[in-house]
Amino acid sequence: MNAEDAVLVRLEGRALHLTLNRPRVLNALDHAMVRRLDEALAEAATDPAVSTVIIAGAGERGLCAGGDIRTLHDDARAGGRASLDFWRDEYRLNARIHRFGKPYVALMDGIVMGGGVGVSGHGSVRIVTERSRVAMPETGIGFVPDVGGTRLLALAPGELGTHLALTGTPVGAADAILCGLADHHVPSDRLPALVTALAGCVTPENVTRTVRAHAGEPAAGILGGRRAWIDRCYAAASVEEIIDRLGETGEPEAKETAEALLALSPTALKVTLEAVRRARRTASLEEALDQEYRVSARAFAHPDFVEGVRARIVDKDGDPRWSPHRLADVTTTDVEGFFAPLGAGELGLARR
């Protein structure tokens, strides 16, 4: 499938529609799709006929499940570099979405994970439905949250973002809004009417009023009721201490979380914790993306990424053999190496 078929671009009234069109793989992003999205947004930014951009996913399952993980896995196994070029352009696209001067409406219906968060979570109008499942699940495959996800999660209230970053837990509409990953809840059966109405919107104020007119209260979430133990446990200085605190709270959900964390890549967990905490101190999304690019380049070369994808997605045996397999064997020096500058290979968005 070529990029023109994988990303459908059409103008309806004043709204430019960008539809990710690979429903058989849950609209997973490849490099050609990223470039097409970037080109479409660059043109839309100066096109007087376009007042609003709407991004959505084809099919009934979701907006986007993330990047094309199998392709990235194969590239890593072969010792390739194509994935680094993909991430370079993907992170630039994430920054463009963040800076886009017109309303950018993301319909986050269904599954929105990884790269799907990257093409939606930085938009100015982020809409979830009762079917939304939003997550940054990278630690489950031995990787680290990227596409600006570390900054989004770092800015969530308390330690909710740290919890989501380490566990990769998907959240529904109410919790996505609570964590700052979305802005409005619109029931899925109202989306067609909303899209039709947006075609006639000329100003950002029109867009805001139109979205609010179609929005409604989501069903209650679960994170608010768990906030006390999440904030207390994830404020710990290390992953080991976080897990200890989770196991000692007396809360069944906390104990289950501790057990789940112990099954994940020790390296990915420690690097993710450091990445979120550093992202909290960054001055901009661009600075966070520069950091993520360094981390992604190192995680791509680490054996846990290939092993995690093998166990979770390729062979699906659910039994990854992490290297190292104990948290105690991942040193501070090991973690700091993921954040070291890349020299001439830097992404360099914060310098622009």
Side-chain angles (χ1 to χ4, degrees):
M1 180 181 288
N2 59 37
E4 288 72 20
D5 293 328
V7 179
L8 305 178
V9 181
R10 72 183 190 281
L11 185 66
E12 292 187 4
R14 305 279 298 188
L16 183 72
H17 290 256
L18 304 176
T19 303
L20 307 181
N21 188 38
R22 298 178 72 201
R24 292 182 63 182
V25 291
L26 230 166
N27 303 315
L29 295 169
D30 62 21
H31 202 163
M33 293 170 70
V34 165
R35 285 193 291 254
R36 180 153 169 79
L37 288 169
D38 192 67
E39 291 167 1
L41 285 177
E43 293 174 5
T46 58
D47 187 345
V50 176
S51 296
T52 304
V53 169
I54 302 172
I55 188 165
E60 299 295 322
R61 298 167 62 199
L63 170 65
C64 175
D68 191 332
I69 295 297
R70 286 178 179 267
T71 298
L72 298 171
H73 167 268
D74 293 347
D75 188 35
R77 282 193 66 190
R81 301 279 299 177
S83 298
L84 302 186
D85 295 334
F86 165 69
W87 285 320
R88 183 178 293 275
D89 286 342
E90 184 182 25
Y91 299 176
R92 287 172 175 167
L93 171 64
N94 303 147
R96 184 186 294 280
I97 292 168
H98 175 68
R99 296 191 301 260
F100 194 65
K102 300 176 182 181
Y104 179 97
V105 180
L107 303 183
M108 301 169 70
D109 187 29
I111 293 174
V112 184
M113 296 185 179
V117 174
V119 298
S120 59
H122 305 299
S124 55
V125 184
R126 304 164 301 174
I127 295 170
V128 283
T129 76
E130 76 283 356
R131 303 187 298 204
S132 295
R133 303 296 290 166
V134 184
M136 295 297 297
E138 285 77 8
T139 55
I141 56 169
F143 203 66
V144 178
D146 65 340
V147 297
T150 59
R151 180 155 172 90
L152 288 171
L153 294 173
L155 297 176
E159 296 293 338
L160 293 178
T162 310
H163 169 66
L164 297 183
L166 291 179
T167 64
T169 303
V171 296
D175 287 331
I177 293 171
L178 171 64
C179 293
L181 301 173
D183 305 301
H184 306 278
H185 168 258
V186 176
S188 58
D189 60 2
R190 295 186 197 173
L191 289 180
L194 171 61
V195 168
T196 298
L198 288 173
C201 293
V202 177
T203 68
E205 294 74 20
N206 292 153
V207 171
T208 299
R209 284 195 294 269
T210 298
V211 170
R212 287 177 177 168
H214 289 80
E217 287 297 317
I222 62 172
L223 289 181
R226 299 178 180 179
R227 177 80 186 273
W229 63 260
I230 287 175
D231 285 357
R232 184 172 64 254
C233 294
Y234 287 93
S238 68
V239 174
E240 289 95 331
E241 188 178 351
I242 288 171
I243 291 173
D244 287 345
R245 289 188 185 185
L246 287 168
E248 295 167 357
T249 63
E251 298 284 348
E253 296 87 357
K255 184 176 181 180
E256 291 172 7
T257 300
E259 293 170 354
L261 289 174
L262 287 170
L264 301 177
S265 160
T267 300
L269 288 175
K270 288 199 171 183
V271 175
T272 294
L273 180 62
E274 181 67 14
V276 171
R277 291 185 171 169
R278 290 192 184 205
R280 194 173 289 162
R281 301 192 295 268
T282 57
S284 66
L285 173 64
E286 287 80 4
E287 187 178 335
L289 287 165
D290 284 346
Q291 173 180 283
E292 288 179 351
Y293 188 74
R294 296 180 198 115
V295 172
S296 293
R298 272 50 182 264
F300 177 71
H302 193 279
D304 278 5
F305 174 57
V306 168
E307 175 60 13
V309 177
R310 180 206 65 76
R312 307 292 191 195
I313 296 172
V314 179
D315 296 340
K316 298 182 181 179
D317 59 25
D319 186 27
R321 294 178 289 276
W322 306 122
S323 178
H325 70 279
R326 296 192 315 153
L327 284 163
D329 292 333
V330 182
T331 68
T332 299
T333 300
D334 293 334
V335 172
E336 289 176 350
F338 280 74
F339 297 87
L342 296 170
E346 286 283 299
L347 183 60
L349 283 173
R351 296 196 301 264
R352 298 184 180 207

